[in-house]
Amino acid sequence: MGTDYDYDIVAARKRQRTINRLKKFAIFLFIALFCVYLYLQRDTWVPKLEGIGSRYESITQNDGALAEGNFPLSIYGNADYQIKAIDDTLFILNDSYLYLYSLHGDSIDTRQLAYTNAVMKESGSYALLYEHAGNSFRVDRKSRNVYSKLSSDVIITGTISPDGYVALVTESDNYSCAIHVFDENGKKVYTRNCVERINEIHFQADNGGCVFAEINSVNGEVGTSLKCIRFDKKDVSWETEMTPTMCIAASFTDSGSVCLIGDNVCTYYDSKGQVESTYTYNGELIDYAYIDGKAALILDDEEKRETKLVLFSGTASSPAEVEININSKCVQIYDDTVYLMGLENVTAYNFSGKAVATVTLDGAYDSFVRQGGYLFLLRYNEINRVNFKE
């Protein structure tokens, strides 16, 4: 027969087993409830987790070895040259000559033009060259000079479409300025007199119309109003209200809306000229790039000591923002990729802000051109080339 002491031991052991079971059940219940909580809050923590993971996701590292052979290309005379990549050819405008080179640095052609203050614009397979504050302009392709003409009025600015249509903004005797449109063969197809100064113009995709930016001043404040016209109609198709910004660039999106890049805001308008979305800059605009309604801006906020790359994929509602090095000074867009030049590197981003490729350079460059798997690196008196894969 057991003693009272034995009964106490057995009872104590039963109580301990019960306590252990309760502890295990409590832990299980806590884990289960925590899992349920995480599931219910997944929209909050999953994106953050993905963001942390993406920071360590590998990107393509290019070796940065400079091309040999014909490179570097030397720039002689006036070092304030302009370069555009058109098809598989480099168009280099310097002094009174247009030089054409292959992507491997082989000389293709040299074309003389006696222009003062020459400006080069490009689109598709065409280059527009005009004399700012002069009367001469011409259109060139890789194969030939398409035509050369003289404007009856002094040229202020101009643009060219991917199909070779040209729009010139010129001075006018009786108006602030005038718009002259030429088809791909140089035949004038449209003229419009304007009562306000124009500093930007962009073709619609079918070459049948354009949007242009008028600059005005109200109570000492500079503002911009966009107008859309069709070349077969007299009246304006639509007009936006004046925005308190100086227009720097304007571009149609694929859907027919318009992106306006100003000196202090980026605004998107729908196909009827109504505001869709607006982004106000927190900082100074250092550089910008745009294509088909997509835009990339470098903004420097001195108060916060912060420099950002802001990316717009077709709306200003929720742009991607990437903190970048303060020495970043040049941004460009090619296709659906944004290229940012820092002090000694170039990094490619998609429009969600994810870095996809980078290359370390041999030193500092002023700017660059992307074409055919290469980056052409520009200094004041030479052009180098590196491979760049994404």
Side-chain angles (χ1 to χ4, degrees):
M1 175 176 287
T3 64
D4 293 339
Y5 175 76
D6 292 333
Y7 285 121
D8 290 341
I9 292 177
V10 172
R13 288 176 177 175
K14 288 182 178 180
R15 285 195 299 272
Q16 188 61 49
R17 284 196 295 268
T18 301
I19 292 171
N20 290 341
R21 290 193 189 102
L22 291 174
K23 286 182 177 180
K24 290 180 180 179
F25 178 75
I27 293 172
F28 171 79
L29 184 61
F30 173 79
I31 293 175
L33 291 174
F34 183 68
C35 290
V36 171
Y37 171 79
L38 289 178
Y39 176 78
L40 294 175
Q41 297 295 319
R42 64 190 183 280
D43 291 337
T44 300
W45 63 268
V46 169
K48 294 181 180 179
L49 186 62
E50 290 176 346
I52 294 172
S54 65
R55 295 179 192 174
Y56 301 96
E57 189 174 340
S58 62
I59 65 175
T60 302
Q61 301 285 337
N62 291 276
D63 61 19
L66 296 178
E68 299 180 350
N70 294 322
F71 289 94
L73 299 178
S74 298
I75 305 298
Y76 299 101
N78 180 12
D80 189 20
Y81 63 94
Q82 301 170 56
I83 178 172
K84 302 293 183 182
I86 300 176
D87 295 333
D88 58 350
T89 306
L90 300 178
F91 282 53
I92 301 175
L93 177 62
N94 189 38
D95 285 333
S96 298
Y97 292 91
L98 176 65
Y99 301 95
L100 274 65
Y101 288 89
S102 74
L103 300 185
H104 301 289
D106 301 308
S107 177
I108 297 174
D109 197 2
T110 300
R111 302 172 189 175
Q112 187 174 14
L113 59 159
Y115 287 7
T116 302
N117 297 324
V119 177
M120 179 166 58
K121 303 286 185 71
E122 57 84 23
S123 187
S125 298
Y126 294 88
L128 166 67
L129 301 100
Y130 63 87
E131 192 175 22
H132 176 67
N135 299 87
S136 300
F137 69 100
R138 58 187 281 165
V139 172
D140 283 74
R141 301 188 67 171
K142 173 185 176 180
S143 58
R144 62 188 175 91
N145 167 240
V146 180
Y147 64 83
S148 299
K149 297 179 77 71
L150 287 174
S151 168
S152 57
D153 297 297
V154 173
I155 299 171
I156 299 172
T157 187
T159 191
I160 189 166
S161 79
D163 300 310
Y165 275 64
V166 170
L168 296 179
V169 179
T170 70
E171 294 182 358
S172 174
D173 291 335
N174 301 315
Y175 295 86
S176 293
C177 61
I179 298 173
H180 305 277
V181 179
F182 303 83
D183 67 14
E184 69 274 22
N185 299 312
K187 178 183 177 182
K188 186 181 287 190
V189 296
Y190 182 81
T191 297
R192 182 183 189 86
N193 294 310
C194 302
V195 296
E196 304 294 348
R197 184 163 60 94
I198 295 174
N199 75 334
E200 177 68 6
I201 187 166
H202 189 84
F203 278 101
Q204 290 180 302
D206 65 352
N207 304 307
C210 68
V211 64
F212 58 89
E214 288 186 339
I215 306 300
N216 204 338
S217 178
V218 177
N219 298 325
E221 186 177 36
V222 175
T224 296
S225 175
L226 296 182
K227 288 185 177 180
C228 182
I229 57 174
R230 298 292 294 177
F231 302 142
D232 59 351
K233 296 180 180 179
K234 181 180 179 180
D235 295 333
V236 172
S237 297
W238 53 257
E239 178 180 0
T240 70
E241 294 184 357
M242 192 185 77
T243 301
T245 189
M246 170 66 76
C247 173
I248 298 174
S251 172
F252 278 103
T253 69
D254 293 336
S255 63
S257 57
V258 178
C259 171
L260 165 68
I261 299 175
D263 63 344
N264 57 7
V265 296
C266 179
T267 300
Y268 281 80
Y269 299 89
D270 64 21
S271 58
K272 295 182 180 179
Q274 300 299 310
V275 174
E276 285 185 333
S277 54
T278 296
Y279 179 92
T280 301
Y281 308 159
N282 291 319
E284 178 187 359
L285 178 63
I286 303 301
D287 195 26
Y288 67 94
Y290 66 99
I291 182 173
D292 298 333
K294 302 182 183 72
L297 313 177
I298 299 176
L299 300 177
D300 182 39
D301 189 336
E302 290 188 357
E303 291 185 1
K304 293 184 178 180
R305 297 182 180 180
E306 181 179 77
T307 304
K308 287 185 178 181
L309 175 66
V310 186
L311 307 175
F312 305 89
S313 59
T315 177
S317 295
S318 301
E321 297 184 356
V322 182
E323 291 190 19
I324 58 177
N325 190 289
I326 193 171
N327 294 311
S328 300
K329 58 182 179 179
C330 180
V331 63
Q332 305 215 24
I333 301 175
Y334 295 94
D335 298 324
D336 290 323
T337 306
V338 177
Y339 298 82
L340 177 73
M341 173 173 275
L343 191 61
E344 293 185 350
N345 61 71
V346 174
T347 303
Y349 297 86
N350 60 28
F351 273 90
S352 64
K354 177 182 177 298
V356 295
T358 189
V359 62
T360 300
L361 308 178
D362 68 324
Y365 290 87
D366 299 319
S367 186
F368 65 97
V369 171
R370 170 85 159 94
Q371 188 77 343
Y374 304 113
L375 290 181
F376 296 90
L377 309 172
L378 314 181
R379 283 191 175 125
Y380 74 97
N381 63 349
E382 69 177 22
I383 300 172
N384 277 303
R385 192 195 77 184
V386 293
N387 294 335
F388 195 89
K389 295 181 179 179
E390 299 168 12

PDB file of all heavy atoms in Angstrom, residues 178-202:
ATOM      1  N   ALA A 178       5.464  81.761 -85.611  1.00  0.00           N
ATOM      2  CA  ALA A 178       4.652  80.991 -86.560  1.00  0.00           C
ATOM      3  C   ALA A 178       5.147  79.549 -86.593  1.00  0.00           C
ATOM      4  O   ALA A 178       6.327  79.275 -86.331  1.00  0.00           O
ATOM      5  CB  ALA A 178       4.724  81.608 -87.953  1.00  0.00           C
ATOM      6  N   ILE A 179       4.225  78.636 -86.906  1.00  0.00           N
ATOM      7  CA  ILE A 179       4.557  77.214 -87.064  1.00  0.00           C
ATOM      8  C   ILE A 179       4.495  76.874 -88.543  1.00  0.00           C
ATOM      9  O   ILE A 179       3.518  77.198 -89.229  1.00  0.00           O
ATOM     10  CB  ILE A 179       3.577  76.321 -86.288  1.00  0.00           C
ATOM     11  CG1 ILE A 179       3.654  76.615 -84.787  1.00  0.00           C
ATOM     12  CG2 ILE A 179       3.864  74.847 -86.552  1.00  0.00           C
ATOM     13  CD1 ILE A 179       2.597  75.887 -83.973  1.00  0.00           C
ATOM     14  N   HIS A 180       5.525  76.220 -89.068  1.00  0.00           N
ATOM     15  CA  HIS A 180       5.568  75.761 -90.450  1.00  0.00           C
ATOM     16  C   HIS A 180       5.841  74.257 -90.447  1.00  0.00           C
ATOM     17  O   HIS A 180       6.803  73.803 -89.811  1.00  0.00           O
ATOM     18  CB  HIS A 180       6.660  76.482 -91.238  1.00  0.00           C
ATOM     19  CG  HIS A 180       6.553  77.982 -91.199  1.00  0.00           C
ATOM     20  ND1 HIS A 180       5.715  78.696 -92.032  1.00  0.00           N
ATOM     21  CD2 HIS A 180       7.179  78.897 -90.416  1.00  0.00           C
ATOM     22  CE1 HIS A 180       5.828  79.995 -91.774  1.00  0.00           C
ATOM     23  NE2 HIS A 180       6.704  80.137 -90.793  1.00  0.00           N
ATOM     24  N   VAL A 181       5.011  73.499 -91.154  1.00  0.00           N
ATOM     25  CA  VAL A 181       5.143  72.039 -91.181  1.00  0.00           C
ATOM     26  C   VAL A 181       5.466  71.599 -92.600  1.00  0.00           C
ATOM     27  O   VAL A 181       4.848  72.052 -93.566  1.00  0.00           O
ATOM     28  CB  VAL A 181       3.847  71.355 -90.692  1.00  0.00           C
ATOM     29  CG1 VAL A 181       3.989  69.838 -90.759  1.00  0.00           C
ATOM     30  CG2 VAL A 181       3.529  71.803 -89.263  1.00  0.00           C
ATOM     31  N   PHE A 182       6.445  70.682 -92.713  1.00  0.00           N
ATOM     32  CA  PHE A 182       6.883  70.162 -93.998  1.00  0.00           C
ATOM     33  C   PHE A 182       6.758  68.644 -93.996  1.00  0.00           C
ATOM     34  O   PHE A 182       7.001  67.997 -92.969  1.00  0.00           O
ATOM     35  CB  PHE A 182       8.347  70.543 -94.266  1.00  0.00           C
ATOM     36  CG  PHE A 182       8.615  72.024 -94.219  1.00  0.00           C
ATOM     37  CD1 PHE A 182       8.830  72.672 -92.995  1.00  0.00           C
ATOM     38  CD2 PHE A 182       8.649  72.778 -95.378  1.00  0.00           C
ATOM     39  CE1 PHE A 182       9.073  74.037 -92.948  1.00  0.00           C
ATOM     40  CE2 PHE A 182       8.890  74.150 -95.342  1.00  0.00           C
ATOM     41  CZ  PHE A 182       9.106  74.775 -94.123  1.00  0.00           C
ATOM     42  N   ASP A 183       6.381  68.062 -95.156  1.00  0.00           N
ATOM     43  CA  ASP A 183       6.295  66.603 -95.235  1.00  0.00           C
ATOM     44  C   ASP A 183       7.684  66.005 -95.425  1.00  0.00           C
ATOM     45  O   ASP A 183       8.694  66.722 -95.407  1.00  0.00           O
ATOM     46  CB  ASP A 183       5.323  66.161 -96.332  1.00  0.00           C
ATOM     47  CG  ASP A 183       5.804  66.496 -97.744  1.00  0.00           C
ATOM     48  OD1 ASP A 183       6.997  66.824 -97.933  1.00  0.00           O
ATOM     49  OD2 ASP A 183       4.977  66.428 -98.682  1.00  0.00           O
ATOM     50  N   GLU A 184       7.746  64.685 -95.622  1.00  0.00           N
ATOM     51  CA  GLU A 184       9.031  63.993 -95.682  1.00  0.00           C
ATOM     52  C   GLU A 184       9.883  64.395 -96.889  1.00  0.00           C
ATOM     53  O   GLU A 184      11.090  64.138 -96.928  1.00  0.00           O
ATOM     54  CB  GLU A 184       8.827  62.477 -95.673  1.00  0.00           C
ATOM     55  CG  GLU A 184       8.206  61.894 -96.926  1.00  0.00           C
ATOM     56  CD  GLU A 184       6.697  61.913 -96.912  1.00  0.00           C
ATOM     57  OE1 GLU A 184       6.113  62.729 -96.169  1.00  0.00           O
ATOM     58  OE2 GLU A 184       6.097  61.109 -97.640  1.00  0.00           O
ATOM     59  N   ASN A 185       9.250  65.050 -97.875  1.00  0.00           N
ATOM     60  CA  ASN A 185       9.986  65.506 -99.059  1.00  0.00           C
ATOM     61  C   ASN A 185      10.320  66.999 -99.012  1.00  0.00           C
ATOM     62  O   ASN A 185      10.874  67.543 -99.960  1.00  0.00           O
ATOM     63  CB  ASN A 185       9.175  65.207-100.322  1.00  0.00           C
ATOM     64  CG  ASN A 185       8.925  63.727-100.500  1.00  0.00           C
ATOM     65  OD1 ASN A 185       9.848  62.907-100.397  1.00  0.00           O
ATOM     66  ND2 ASN A 185       7.672  63.355-100.745  1.00  0.00           N
ATOM     67  N   GLY A 186       9.966  67.654 -97.930  1.00  0.00           N
ATOM     68  CA  GLY A 186      10.273  69.057 -97.784  1.00  0.00           C
ATOM     69  C   GLY A 186       9.198  69.999 -98.296  1.00  0.00           C
ATOM     70  O   GLY A 186       9.402  71.223 -98.332  1.00  0.00           O
ATOM     71  N   LYS A 187       8.036  69.466 -98.656  1.00  0.00           N
ATOM     72  CA  LYS A 187       6.935  70.303 -99.133  1.00  0.00           C
ATOM     73  C   LYS A 187       6.168  70.861 -97.939  1.00  0.00           C
ATOM     74  O   LYS A 187       5.772  70.122 -97.038  1.00  0.00           O
ATOM     75  CB  LYS A 187       5.987  69.486-100.001  1.00  0.00           C
ATOM     76  CG  LYS A 187       4.788  70.279-100.508  1.00  0.00           C
ATOM     77  CD  LYS A 187       3.839  69.395-101.313  1.00  0.00           C
ATOM     78  CE  LYS A 187       2.604  70.166-101.756  1.00  0.00           C
ATOM     79  NZ  LYS A 187       1.647  69.302-102.504  1.00  0.00           N
ATOM     80  N   LYS A 188       5.935  72.185 -97.938  1.00  0.00           N
ATOM     81  CA  LYS A 188       5.199  72.792 -96.828  1.00  0.00           C
ATOM     82  C   LYS A 188       3.727  72.400 -96.906  1.00  0.00           C
ATOM     83  O   LYS A 188       3.084  72.553 -97.941  1.00  0.00           O
ATOM     84  CB  LYS A 188       5.325  74.310 -96.841  1.00  0.00           C
ATOM     85  CG  LYS A 188       4.692  74.991 -95.619  1.00  0.00           C
ATOM     86  CD  LYS A 188       4.816  76.498 -95.666  1.00  0.00           C
ATOM     87  CE  LYS A 188       6.236  76.952 -95.398  1.00  0.00           C
ATOM     88  NZ  LYS A 188       6.330  78.427 -95.217  1.00  0.00           N
ATOM     89  N   VAL A 189       3.189  71.890 -95.785  1.00  0.00           N
ATOM     90  CA  VAL A 189       1.805  71.417 -95.755  1.00  0.00           C
ATOM     91  C   VAL A 189       0.938  72.178 -94.760  1.00  0.00           C
ATOM     92  O   VAL A 189      -0.277  71.999 -94.737  1.00  0.00           O
ATOM     93  CB  VAL A 189       1.759  69.909 -95.438  1.00  0.00           C
ATOM     94  CG1 VAL A 189       2.436  69.090 -96.536  1.00  0.00           C
ATOM     95  CG2 VAL A 189       2.409  69.610 -94.079  1.00  0.00           C
ATOM     96  N   TYR A 190       1.552  73.060 -93.957  1.00  0.00           N
ATOM     97  CA  TYR A 190       0.754  73.747 -92.934  1.00  0.00           C
ATOM     98  C   TYR A 190       1.520  74.953 -92.413  1.00  0.00           C
ATOM     99  O   TYR A 190       2.753  74.919 -92.271  1.00  0.00           O
ATOM    100  CB  TYR A 190       0.451  72.802 -91.764  1.00  0.00           C
ATOM    101  CG  TYR A 190      -0.400  73.398 -90.670  1.00  0.00           C
ATOM    102  CD1 TYR A 190      -1.778  73.466 -90.794  1.00  0.00           C
ATOM    103  CD2 TYR A 190       0.186  73.887 -89.503  1.00  0.00           C
ATOM    104  CE1 TYR A 190      -2.561  74.021 -89.777  1.00  0.00           C
ATOM    105  CE2 TYR A 190      -0.588  74.417 -88.486  1.00  0.00           C
ATOM    106  CZ  TYR A 190      -1.959  74.490 -88.634  1.00  0.00           C
ATOM    107  OH  TYR A 190      -2.724  75.031 -87.622  1.00  0.00           O
ATOM    108  N   THR A 191       0.781  76.027 -92.131  1.00  0.00           N
ATOM    109  CA  THR A 191       1.336  77.214 -91.489  1.00  0.00           C
ATOM    110  C   THR A 191       0.321  77.754 -90.498  1.00  0.00           C
ATOM    111  O   THR A 191      -0.877  77.766 -90.772  1.00  0.00           O
ATOM    112  CB  THR A 191       1.678  78.311 -92.515  1.00  0.00           C
ATOM    113  OG1 THR A 191       2.695  77.841 -93.403  1.00  0.00           O
ATOM    114  CG2 THR A 191       2.187  79.569 -91.819  1.00  0.00           C
ATOM    115  N   ARG A 192       0.795  78.183 -89.339  1.00  0.00           N
ATOM    116  CA  ARG A 192      -0.089  78.746 -88.325  1.00  0.00           C
ATOM    117  C   ARG A 192       0.633  79.902 -87.633  1.00  0.00           C
ATOM    118  O   ARG A 192       1.785  79.758 -87.196  1.00  0.00           O
ATOM    119  CB  ARG A 192      -0.477  77.693 -87.284  1.00  0.00           C
ATOM    120  CG  ARG A 192      -1.456  78.215 -86.223  1.00  0.00           C
ATOM    121  CD  ARG A 192      -1.747  77.156 -85.174  1.00  0.00           C
ATOM    122  NE  ARG A 192      -2.822  77.576 -84.286  1.00  0.00           N
ATOM    123  CZ  ARG A 192      -4.113  77.394 -84.526  1.00  0.00           C
ATOM    124  NH1 ARG A 192      -4.493  76.801 -85.639  1.00  0.00           N
ATOM    125  NH2 ARG A 192      -5.027  77.809 -83.669  1.00  0.00           N
ATOM    126  N   ASN A 193      -0.038  81.044 -87.526  1.00  0.00           N
ATOM    127  CA  ASN A 193       0.485  82.180 -86.780  1.00  0.00           C
ATOM    128  C   ASN A 193       0.032  82.095 -85.326  1.00  0.00           C
ATOM    129  O   ASN A 193      -1.117  81.726 -85.045  1.00  0.00           O
ATOM    130  CB  ASN A 193       0.007  83.495 -87.399  1.00  0.00           C
ATOM    131  CG  ASN A 193       0.578  83.720 -88.785  1.00  0.00           C
ATOM    132  OD1 ASN A 193       1.792  83.600 -88.982  1.00  0.00           O
ATOM    133  ND2 ASN A 193      -0.279  84.041 -89.743  1.00  0.00           N
ATOM    134  N   CYS A 194       0.924  82.454 -84.407  1.00  0.00           N
ATOM    135  CA  CYS A 194       0.644  82.301 -82.980  1.00  0.00           C
ATOM    136  C   CYS A 194       0.884  83.619 -82.258  1.00  0.00           C
ATOM    137  O   CYS A 194       1.864  84.328 -82.529  1.00  0.00           O
ATOM    138  CB  CYS A 194       1.534  81.213 -82.382  1.00  0.00           C
ATOM    139  SG  CYS A 194       1.345  79.601 -83.183  1.00  0.00           S
ATOM    140  N   VAL A 195      -0.011  83.936 -81.331  1.00  0.00           N
ATOM    141  CA  VAL A 195       0.085  85.205 -80.611  1.00  0.00           C
ATOM    142  C   VAL A 195       0.955  85.084 -79.364  1.00  0.00           C
ATOM    143  O   VAL A 195       1.321  86.099 -78.773  1.00  0.00           O
ATOM    144  CB  VAL A 195      -1.316  85.720 -80.224  1.00  0.00           C
ATOM    145  CG1 VAL A 195      -2.129  86.020 -81.458  1.00  0.00           C
ATOM    146  CG2 VAL A 195      -2.037  84.702 -79.337  1.00  0.00           C
ATOM    147  N   GLU A 196       1.287  83.850 -78.941  1.00  0.00           N
ATOM    148  CA  GLU A 196       2.146  83.640 -77.782  1.00  0.00           C
ATOM    149  C   GLU A 196       3.437  82.952 -78.212  1.00  0.00           C
ATOM    150  O   GLU A 196       3.492  82.295 -79.253  1.00  0.00           O
ATOM    151  CB  GLU A 196       1.442  82.774 -76.722  1.00  0.00           C
ATOM    152  CG  GLU A 196       0.105  83.308 -76.264  1.00  0.00           C
ATOM    153  CD  GLU A 196       0.209  84.616 -75.509  1.00  0.00           C
ATOM    154  OE1 GLU A 196       1.338  84.995 -75.135  1.00  0.00           O
ATOM    155  OE2 GLU A 196      -0.831  85.260 -75.288  1.00  0.00           O
ATOM    156  N   ARG A 197       4.454  83.079 -77.409  1.00  0.00           N
ATOM    157  CA  ARG A 197       5.738  82.462 -77.710  1.00  0.00           C
ATOM    158  C   ARG A 197       5.660  80.945 -77.514  1.00  0.00           C
ATOM    159  O   ARG A 197       5.069  80.464 -76.545  1.00  0.00           O
ATOM    160  CB  ARG A 197       6.823  83.053 -76.802  1.00  0.00           C
ATOM    161  CG  ARG A 197       8.226  82.558 -77.085  1.00  0.00           C
ATOM    162  CD  ARG A 197       9.239  83.480 -76.447  1.00  0.00           C
ATOM    163  NE  ARG A 197       9.068  83.549 -75.004  1.00  0.00           N
ATOM    164  CZ  ARG A 197       9.738  82.773 -74.153  1.00  0.00           C
ATOM    165  NH1 ARG A 197      10.582  81.849 -74.607  1.00  0.00           N
ATOM    166  NH2 ARG A 197       9.567  82.910 -72.850  1.00  0.00           N
ATOM    167  N   ILE A 198       6.269  80.188 -78.429  1.00  0.00           N
ATOM    168  CA  ILE A 198       6.270  78.730 -78.386  1.00  0.00           C
ATOM    169  C   ILE A 198       7.699  78.243 -78.144  1.00  0.00           C
ATOM    170  O   ILE A 198       8.636  78.701 -78.805  1.00  0.00           O
ATOM    171  CB  ILE A 198       5.737  78.129 -79.703  1.00  0.00           C
ATOM    172  CG1 ILE A 198       4.262  78.500 -79.894  1.00  0.00           C
ATOM    173  CG2 ILE A 198       5.906  76.612 -79.723  1.00  0.00           C
ATOM    174  CD1 ILE A 198       3.702  78.076 -81.231  1.00  0.00           C
ATOM    175  N   ASN A 199       7.853  77.312 -77.210  1.00  0.00           N
ATOM    176  CA  ASN A 199       9.199  76.786 -76.966  1.00  0.00           C
ATOM    177  C   ASN A 199       9.285  75.272 -77.080  1.00  0.00           C
ATOM    178  O   ASN A 199      10.354  74.698 -76.874  1.00  0.00           O
ATOM    179  CB  ASN A 199       9.711  77.221 -75.593  1.00  0.00           C
ATOM    180  CG  ASN A 199       9.059  76.452 -74.457  1.00  0.00           C
ATOM    181  OD1 ASN A 199       7.933  75.960 -74.582  1.00  0.00           O
ATOM    182  ND2 ASN A 199       9.753  76.347 -73.331  1.00  0.00           N
ATOM    183  N   GLU A 200       8.171  74.592 -77.433  1.00  0.00           N
ATOM    184  CA  GLU A 200       8.199  73.137 -77.584  1.00  0.00           C
ATOM    185  C   GLU A 200       7.079  72.706 -78.510  1.00  0.00           C
ATOM    186  O   GLU A 200       5.965  73.249 -78.471  1.00  0.00           O
ATOM    187  CB  GLU A 200       8.039  72.450 -76.220  1.00  0.00           C
ATOM    188  CG  GLU A 200       7.982  70.931 -76.249  1.00  0.00           C
ATOM    189  CD  GLU A 200       9.301  70.275 -76.655  1.00  0.00           C
ATOM    190  OE1 GLU A 200      10.310  70.993 -76.808  1.00  0.00           O
ATOM    191  OE2 GLU A 200       9.312  69.042 -76.815  1.00  0.00           O
ATOM    192  N   ILE A 201       7.385  71.728 -79.362  1.00  0.00           N
ATOM    193  CA  ILE A 201       6.377  71.226 -80.304  1.00  0.00           C
ATOM    194  C   ILE A 201       6.658  69.751 -80.541  1.00  0.00           C
ATOM    195  O   ILE A 201       7.817  69.322 -80.578  1.00  0.00           O
ATOM    196  CB  ILE A 201       6.407  72.036 -81.621  1.00  0.00           C
ATOM    197  CG1 ILE A 201       5.257  71.637 -82.534  1.00  0.00           C
ATOM    198  CG2 ILE A 201       7.747  71.916 -82.325  1.00  0.00           C
ATOM    199  CD1 ILE A 201       5.032  72.623 -83.677  1.00  0.00           C
ATOM    200  N   HIS A 202       5.574  68.948 -80.666  1.00  0.00           N
ATOM    201  CA  HIS A 202       5.738  67.497 -80.795  1.00  0.00           C
ATOM    202  C   HIS A 202       4.636  66.942 -81.686  1.00  0.00           C
ATOM    203  O   HIS A 202       3.461  67.266 -81.516  1.00  0.00           O
ATOM    204  CB  HIS A 202       5.676  66.836 -79.415  1.00  0.00           C
ATOM    205  CG  HIS A 202       6.041  65.392 -79.408  1.00  0.00           C
ATOM    206  ND1 HIS A 202       7.347  64.948 -79.339  1.00  0.00           N
ATOM    207  CD2 HIS A 202       5.278  64.282 -79.471  1.00  0.00           C
ATOM    208  CE1 HIS A 202       7.367  63.629 -79.349  1.00  0.00           C
ATOM    209  NE2 HIS A 202       6.119  63.204 -79.427  1.00  0.00           N
TER     210      HIS A 202
END
